[in-house]
Amino acid sequence: MQVDLRILRYDPERDAGPHWVSYSVEAEPIDRVLDLLHRVKYKVDGSLTFRRSCGHGVCGSDAMLINGRNRLACKIRVEQLGRRRISVAPLPGLPVIKDLVVDMDGFFAKYRSVQPFLITAGPPPTRERRQSPEERARYDDTTKCILCAACTSSCPSFWAQPDYVGPAAIVQAHRFIFDSRDEGADERLEILADQDGVWRCRTIFNCTDACPRGIEVTRAILEVSAAIVERQA
Amino acid sequence: MLIRYRGQEGMLAWAFHRISGVAIWVFVIFHIVDIFLSGANPSAYDTVLQIYASPIGRIGETLLGAALLYHALNGLRIIVMDFWPVFTRYHRQLWYLNWALFMIVGLPVAFVILKPIFAV
Amino acid sequence: MTQRYSQSGSPRPTRRGAERTVWYLMRLTGLALFVLSLSHFLILHVLYDPKDQTAAFIANVRWSSLFWRANDWLFVIVVLVHAILGIRIVVGDYLKGAVRMAVMMAFYLLGLVLFAFGTIVIVTLPKPTG
Amino acid sequence: MDQDFDALIVGAGGAGLWAALELAQAGVPTAVLTKLYPTRSHTGAAQGGVCAALGNHEEDHWEWHMFDTVKGGDYLTDQDAAEVLAREAIETVIELEHMGLPFNRTADGKIDQRRFGGHTRNFGEGPVRRSCFAADRTGHMILQTLYQQCIKVGVQFFDEYHVVDLLFDGGEAGAGGRAAGVVAYRIADGELRAFRAKAVLLATGGFGRMFRITSNAWSLTGDGVALAYRHGVPLQDMEFYQFHPTGIVGLGILLSEAARGEGGYLRNDSGERFMARYAPTLMELGPRDLVSRAITMEIRAGRGIGGKDYVYLDVTHLGRKVIEEKLPDITEFARIYQGVEPISEPVPIQPTAHYAMGGIPTDLHARVIRDADRTIVPGLYAAGECACVSVHGANRLGTNSLVDLLVFGRRAGRQMARDVRGVDLPELTEDAIEPVRAELRAISARSSGENAARIRSDLADVMMDNVGVYRTEELLSAALPRVRELQERYSRVHVDDKGTVFNTDLLEAREVGYLLDCAETTVVSALARKESRGAHAREDYPERDDVNFLSHTLAYRAEGGPRLAYKPVTITRFEPKPRTY
Ligand SMILES: Cc1cc2nc3c(=O)[nH]c(=O)nc-3n(C[C@H](O)[C@H](O)[C@H](O)COP(=O)(O)OP(=O)(O)OC[C@H]3O[C@@H](n4cnc5c(N)ncnc54)[C@H](O)[C@@H]3O)c2cc1C
Ligand code: HEM
Ligand code: SF4
Ligand code: F3S
Ligand code: FES
């Protein structure tokens, strides 16, 4: 079948601003949007620019705004979109570099700001640290994050407050705060209790809806804010 | 952006919450001022009261009630999730529950408030 | 164009602020308002009809007891705290810099005025007459 | 515009990151250059696990692991390397746990382990639980954990810097030169920059994109391998390319061996567990080359599902709980990409190009060597999939690649930290970046010519059809001229995008050139190896021939096509024996 693929294109060296370009592409229902983008790039216009690597939803390269929602282009089938008309735009709220490529440096800087690494005191034991399956399960959900930015860039609170550390960074902090082996929770909670930390979340759930890994993002955020409040009490 | 992004229930719930919060503000300003008048200038207050009792006033009052009821119910939904994050899993259901309660409580109230318009 | 390589280290957020308290207060006042505002609305807009609520009615019936005066005074305070903090969030999302400061100042002032009005009327409204 | 470091690491997958960590901890000024953000590296796609003889469930010894590795590699494995691998696997896995890796746990809180293809107890008696795992996201967790540690110690990253050339001082790598740095193309704005260093590690991963059906990422184009080759380093054992038995039909996306490790079955059209005929002891847990061949035989014999080119992977009998808890990701892949529900239906699969056993030859300390005498190229190192130590021999066992990254990534970092002390920075001439600048300009300057994507697609077809699971003289010698023709077409490649900002068109065209180099050496090496060993299955020479071919192939770049030489295999403990499972 023919699909009308509309792409919000922008080349800083040629265009005054972003503009929609329409491509008529042959597609199977089982094709993914990434396949269509490749079809355009390889058969129509090689200058179409987007990131992608793994092609099956595990590397987090190709999050973009597809039919009004943030998703991974490699993980959404044409038939799931249910329309012959597909629109593709770069992730909202992040500076566009070219076509579908956005600047992720700020996103990663926020990620780094929450101390996303295990903090322990004292030398490690000779064998593995023990952790019960229950303790391991406590933070399982947030270990799945692939830092695709679909969540952060879908958040209206982030659009309004670009300094908001954002759901992805909180998810990463959550992964350590609730790891029984970690001893850096205080420091991390202190960071997230910042003005631009968890309090910016207005429980909008766009992040949870957008997460391609099915992480309960909002829940993680609220667990962190609850932990901060608890620590205060 | 807000319009381009096809948010789902959570985003709608938030948008309504914000709009209703601001709307109640407007009313609160009027309301405190007019009550103040009831002490400072009772006759002026009674004139203002006529506006509240008029059909337009009653419709406005219904809308205020709706905004307040929605904001209150959804505020509670947020608070519940804040203190028991597991409920985020059911945030949609909670929202629909809100609307059910909104209807159950809101319709009779609206009926009572609006009845005099038709009674005249 | 930004320097496109990662800075190492972990920049710590510096803007402390009382956001934690604000967040908590919003929830506490919200809970209180759930009771206060809904009961207020039900009593005064449903059980009684607005057209009956003349100045005399307020003075004679509604604020005939100290309890109701205290209740409504509390209500005014809680509403104002919640509403000011709430609008601060909204304004902060859409306005920046000096404009934001100016608008918030206006709201703080408005809040004070409203608090004064509310307090004055509750305290000074004459005791029931006749 | 130049930038100086003591050590440079090209690639931020598992191998590159661990090396970076070692160097940073040793206080060596280090930079990591990567064409993708580090967390996008393909190490993150690895699912099944990482083997180490921890013995958390049952008795296990590193000697057994070493034996399995040697036998799995069809005795082409260098046994000193396999010994290092099996021994150090244990401490690196423990170290990973200390870094915070969220392994699944046993009831008493230890690292959980499961079975994996080719891993056995007591020298082949039966399957053993050796693979340490974190659900079916082990690679993801390794990549994340190592990146986290790099952030912790403040490693300097140059994200989205595409390395397009290597620099040498005092002649090419193949002629006694010393590594002097790299040239990187900053993707964001097209700036070319020379980075100078005393030690350069190549950790750029594999090159599965030269095949049509592959589990590999789009970015796995053999950059480091081809660049080393172009500077005179021979490529070792390129004919050994692993096909993983269970790829999603048509797409190649991998359904991990973990599915079989947890007890999944393979079935043909009549529902038979056909592995009983090929590997009666290990059944579905036979090594990958054997299972892939078995599937191919079934399909050829018309026993594919409905006579088509695939068979079934059946996990339905494992039950919802096991499937959802231990295999969540691959369950999702089947649902999303095939519309199949693994809990109730068998999943259609076919072999998919997966892993390069061959690559840049190195010694046990990840130092690149340039001939059969193991002459070292000073300052140049390689680790990970792009390297060939050779620990995988003719066929890699499942999970051993991750072990390889950890063990030899770590060794590389340590060795580099030792080697840069007291050494001066090499000399770099002003115009060091000019050759590659000219090459890139030439591509951009052509206003018409060949389309790089077409060339890559044609290459993928040739390689899949002629250099796949089974090979013959006929197929291989037909492939060679076609690859050469593609190379000729490549000399006229052109791009649509003439800009400087994020020009993926240009970089992908460059990558196709790397793939062509990898493909040519693969075909030439495969033609010359007239035996069947591990992943290299020649139908015209079905037997292993230890008399003539118990040696590693080295393919040197030369006028008119690669020149081959051979290097002996290191045998320490285990004499070659017939390989049955
Ligand atoms: C789907 C799948 C599942 C797997 N499962 C397992 C498993 O369960 N167990 C196991 O042991 N192995 C598994 N493997 C194999 C294993 O994951 C890989 O061999 C291994 O991750 C390779 O790691 P690496 O560090 O060498 O390179 P990669 O992780 O591939 O990283 C390559 C790095 O090099 C960079 N790079 C490449 N070219 C350039 C350039 N020109 N300039 C700058 N940077 C560049 C990239 O940006 C990237 O950072 C699996 C592989 C696949 C594809
Ligand atoms: C009736 C009971 C009420 C409850 C339970 C309630 C609850 C809440 C809660 C929990 C929030 C925080 C939302 C968040 O952080 O995302 C909030 C925000 C807000 N409330 Fe209320 N509230 C009530 C009444 C009021 C009233 C009477 C006003 C009007 C003056 C008001 C104005 C606001 C405003 C302006 C916001 C900010 C909205 C936003 O962030 O988008 N609320 N309310
Ligand atoms: S939480 Fe989900 S949406 Fe957000 S970055 Fe991680 S994987 Fe992406
Ligand atoms: S969308 Fe934003 S407001 Fe909170 S719930 Fe998600 S972070
Ligand atoms: S390409 Fe890796 S997530 Fe889509």
Side-chain angles (χ1 to χ4, degrees), chain A residues 60 63 72 107 142 144-152 167-169 171-172 207 210-215 217:
Chain A
L72 295 178
F107 174 81
T142 42
K144 296 187 293 195
C145 174
I146 52 176
L147 293 165
C148 67
C151 54
T152 296
V171 160
Q172 289 288 341
C207 52
C211 180
R213 302 287 282 175
I215 298 172
V217 182

Side-chain angles (χ1 to χ4, degrees), chain B residues 4 40 44 57 87 99 104 119:
Chain B
R4 238 176 68 204
F87 278 102
W99 282 117
I104 293 170

Side-chain angles (χ1 to χ4, degrees), chain A residues 64-105:
Chain A
M64 47 187 85
L65 186 69
I66 298 172
N67 279 6
R69 289 188 187 145
N70 283 354
R71 343 190 189 218
L72 295 178
C74 64
K75 220 177 164 179
I76 182 89
R77 278 178 274 127
V78 170
E79 63 189 357
Q80 286 170 299
L81 293 170
R83 285 197 269 169
R84 288 289 173 87
R85 190 164 191 199
I86 297 174
S87 72
V88 183
L91 285 178
L94 295 172
V96 178
I97 295 178
K98 180 173 170 187
D99 289 348
L100 303 171
V101 176
V102 293
D103 186 344
M104 301 280 285
D105 280 357

